[in-house]
Amino acid sequence: AQKITQTQPGMFVQEKEAVTLDCTYDTSDQSYGLFWYKQPSSGEMIFLIYQGSYDEQNATEGRYSLNFQKARKSANLVISASQLGDSAMYFCAMSTDSWGKLQFGAGTQVVVTP
Amino acid sequence: DVKVTQSSRYLVKRTGEKVFLECVQDMDHENMFWYRQDPGLGLRLIYFSYDVKMKEKGDIPEGYSVSREKKERFSLILESASTNQTSMYLCASSLSGDEQFFGPGTRLTVL
């Protein structure tokens, strides 16, 4: 059975600092995709970044980067230069089939303080 | 921009009622998904559909059914609502296995 683990229920970070959100996954499949989503208090899920299991380079999207360590089965999200608008719940998710069904972690609540 | 809309942001129903949650996407995506979100559990897949009239159970299908008569519309049905189905329901769509685009969610309360 696949599983996604996010061990940090919540964290505070100061504005302009970098923050790392942990995510570990468990699968016996060789081909899989890892996703990070942001959910602000408004409730809508916003796609942030994607990493394929065969991608050799870590994915980056603006201030977001994914620290992919395949042997450790970890896919940590790094947000650089935090902004107040980054306050939200962040979910790590994995897909192992061609339809892209997602399995989500429990999420990490991030609060950015001035 | 992909847009996924859900029929209601908030819904209050009574135990035993039949409940319909509607989801519409405007980008011709083949795949559509229904998740429920509960605190501490993340999102869990209820059902998904990869084509019109095609559906597959997700991880927690019990107590739910779905309908996809048109490509753009995917409905979640609670045949007889129960209090343990009080939750946030999120619909999503995607093209093949790409990232999913989510609707704003429906917060359902069953009394």
Side-chain angles (χ1 to χ4, degrees):
Chain A
Q2 281 104 221
K3 191 176 176 183
I4 301 287
T5 303
Q6 294 180 254
T7 56
Q8 307 150 309
M11 55 199 309
F12 289 92
V13 58
Q14 275 209 305
E15 205 176 0
K16 298 182 184 148
E17 304 259 311
V19 59
T20 298
L21 307 183
D22 295 339
C23 173
T24 58
Y25 59 92
D26 184 22
T27 182
S28 56
D29 291 292
Q30 296 301 307
S31 177
Y32 51 89
L34 296 157
F35 301 77
W36 278 92
Y37 282 84
K38 171 184 178 182
Q39 187 180 43
S41 56
S42 58
E44 192 155 350
M45 297 283 283
I46 301 166
F47 166 74
L48 295 178
I49 197 166
Y50 166 81
Q51 179 87 39
S53 58
Y54 294 118
D55 295 341
E56 294 187 352
Q57 294 208 335
N58 286 342
T60 59
E61 288 286 348
R63 293 187 298 110
Y64 304 108
S65 60
L66 201 151
N67 184 1
F68 181 46
Q69 297 187 43
K70 196 169 181 177
R72 293 186 178 183
K73 293 189 175 178
S74 79
N76 299 339
L77 178 70
V78 180
I79 307 173
S80 62
S82 296
Q83 301 171 357
L84 296 177
D86 293 333
S87 294
M89 181 73 90
Y90 289 82
F91 290 98
C92 179
M94 177 173 67
S95 169
T96 58
D97 63 36
S98 58
W99 292 301
K101 292 182 297 183
L102 293 174
Q103 187 155 29
F104 285 83
T108 296
Q109 181 73 50
V110 173
V111 175
V112 181
T113 58
Chain B
D1 276 355
V2 175
K3 190 151 187 182
V4 181
T5 56
Q6 295 183 228
S7 49
S8 307
R9 286 302 303 268
Y10 300 92
L11 208 53
V12 180
K13 295 292 181 180
R14 297 260 178 217
T15 302
E17 278 193 80
K18 190 168 186 175
V19 181
F20 292 87
L21 302 183
E22 305 286 341
C23 175
V24 178
Q25 51 96 1
D26 67 358
M27 282 302 290
D28 205 35
H29 284 171
E30 292 97 355
N31 300 332
M32 296 189 75
F33 308 82
W34 274 107
Y35 296 89
R36 65 175 280 175
Q37 181 179 4
D38 300 288
L41 296 177
L43 280 71
R44 293 176 292 166
L45 181 65
I46 304 171
Y47 267 96
F48 80 101
S49 169
Y50 53 90
D51 203 348
V52 175
K53 296 190 191 292
M54 305 304 286
K55 60 187 179 187
E56 293 284 340
K57 293 179 180 178
D59 298 318
I60 51 163
E62 298 79 19
Y64 304 94
S65 63
V66 290
S67 172
R68 193 165 180 200
E69 296 297 318
K70 293 185 177 181
K71 191 174 186 179
E72 67 270 19
R73 187 180 298 269
F74 191 35
S75 303
L76 180 69
I77 303 155
L78 287 65
E79 296 289 342
S80 177
S82 63
T83 54
N84 62 13
Q85 292 179 309
T86 291
S87 186
M88 169 73 94
Y89 290 87
L90 290 155
C91 174
S93 73
S94 73
L95 194 61
S96 185
D98 293 346
E99 75 266 21
Q100 293 181 20
F101 295 86
F102 284 81
T106 296
R107 189 166 292 281
L108 172 67
T109 302
V110 182
L111 302 175

